[in-house]
Amino acid sequence: IFDKDCPDFNYKLILIGDSRAGKTSVTERYVNDAFDEKQKQTRTVQISRKMVKIDRTEKWAQLHIWDTLGQENFKSLAPLFYRKAVGAFLVFDLTSRKSFENIDDWYQQVSSNVDGARVIVMLLGNKADLPNREVSYNDAMEYARSRNFGYLEVSAKTGTNIRNSFNCLVKEIYRAQ
Ligand code: GDP
Ligand code: MG
């Protein structure tokens, strides 16, 4: 039996943000190291699992990564979706100002649904590979600071910062528990 066959912790992580921001793609890149230009809209709750070693420790965490369904179906499932989450990625699209402006509404959803227990939140600006950005690093960073979130620019397409963002979130969850 190896350590990694038996996790020390189980962490539920959720990804939220506007439809098309890249939540499913970020998850795909992280879990399967793959990318699909024509990523289908998520129609059911998808839970992906991945075992990770927590940075600078001998501990293993089993991640349960919950990806949202299309917004139209989301409301009724929200309580189940948020239940017991210990980490949340707020994902927006760097080429869509609107997706960034909606982020604080998504955060309100998190804070009103994850009762009591602290959830570690991290902001991700996705699609950093594209040239036509509408959100500057400084604007996103300023918002993240105001809420005390970490912020990273990522690309599910190239893989830039994807593993790093999960490692950071997991490390913070571990530290906070
Ligand atoms: P979701 O609705 O938030 O789950 O978004 P998806 O993961 O379905 O992605 C929406 C679209 O954006 C798909 O066509 C993806 O291929 C594309 N996409 C996602 N991430 C990236 C990225 O990092 N770079 C680029 N160029 N396209 C991306
Ligand atoms: Mg999706």
Side-chain angles (χ1 to χ4, degrees):
I1 289 202
F2 295 100
D3 279 353
K4 70 184 180 61
D5 293 328
C6 179
D8 298 286
F9 308 107
N10 281 281
Y11 293 155
K12 175 177 173 179
L13 310 183
I14 58 176
L15 289 99
I16 48 173
D18 279 10
S19 179
R20 312 295 294 166
K23 301 175 296 297
T24 301
S25 300
V26 166
T27 306
E28 260 300 289
R29 170 60 74 196
Y30 181 62
V31 175
N32 299 319
D33 200 15
F35 179 76
D36 182 354
E37 289 283 353
K38 301 194 185 78
Q39 186 61 252
K40 286 199 193 68
Q41 229 172 293
T42 319
R43 298 218 171 275
T44 54
V45 180
Q46 304 228 5
I47 306 172
S48 313
R49 295 192 167 77
K50 190 174 168 98
M51 190 74 99
V52 288
K53 189 158 177 280
I54 301 169
D55 264 9
R56 296 170 204 229
T57 71
E58 294 302 316
K59 307 282 187 196
W60 288 84
Q62 174 78 267
L63 307 184
H64 305 257
I65 306 164
W66 290 50
D67 187 11
T68 31
L69 25 161
Q71 273 152 332
E72 63 285 3
N73 302 319
F74 186 62
K75 280 248 158 67
S76 62
L77 271 156
L80 178 71
F81 182 79
Y82 289 108
R83 199 171 155 263
K84 292 192 176 173
V86 292
F89 285 117
L90 299 177
V91 185
F92 70 94
D93 174 349
L94 285 163
T95 70
S96 159
R97 185 83 204 170
K98 186 93 182 79
S99 72
F100 175 64
E101 284 165 359
N102 286 338
I103 281 292
D104 205 60
D105 290 344
W106 284 108
Y107 173 63
Q108 301 302 336
Q109 286 281 313
V110 178
S111 58
S112 60
N113 280 286
V114 183
D115 40 36
R118 245 172 67 78
V119 58
I120 307 287
V121 178
M122 185 159 184
L123 182 66
L124 298 184
N126 186 38
K127 310 196 187 181
D129 58 286
L130 294 176
N132 50 322
R133 71 156 67 211
E134 293 184 354
V135 183
S136 70
Y137 180 80
N138 285 344
D139 282 3
M141 196 62 205
E142 193 177 315
Y143 169 72
R145 281 223 184 86
S146 75
R147 287 271 186 215
N148 221 5
F149 306 153
Y151 174 58
L152 281 174
E153 293 193 344
V154 302
S155 168
K157 184 171 183 173
T158 64
T160 303
N161 266 341
I162 297 292
R163 195 138 27 111
N164 194 21
S165 54
F166 279 83
N167 286 344
C168 286
L169 188 66
V170 166
K171 198 161 66 176
E172 278 211 46
I173 292 166
Y174 174 72
R175 278 207 200 113
Q177 75 187 352

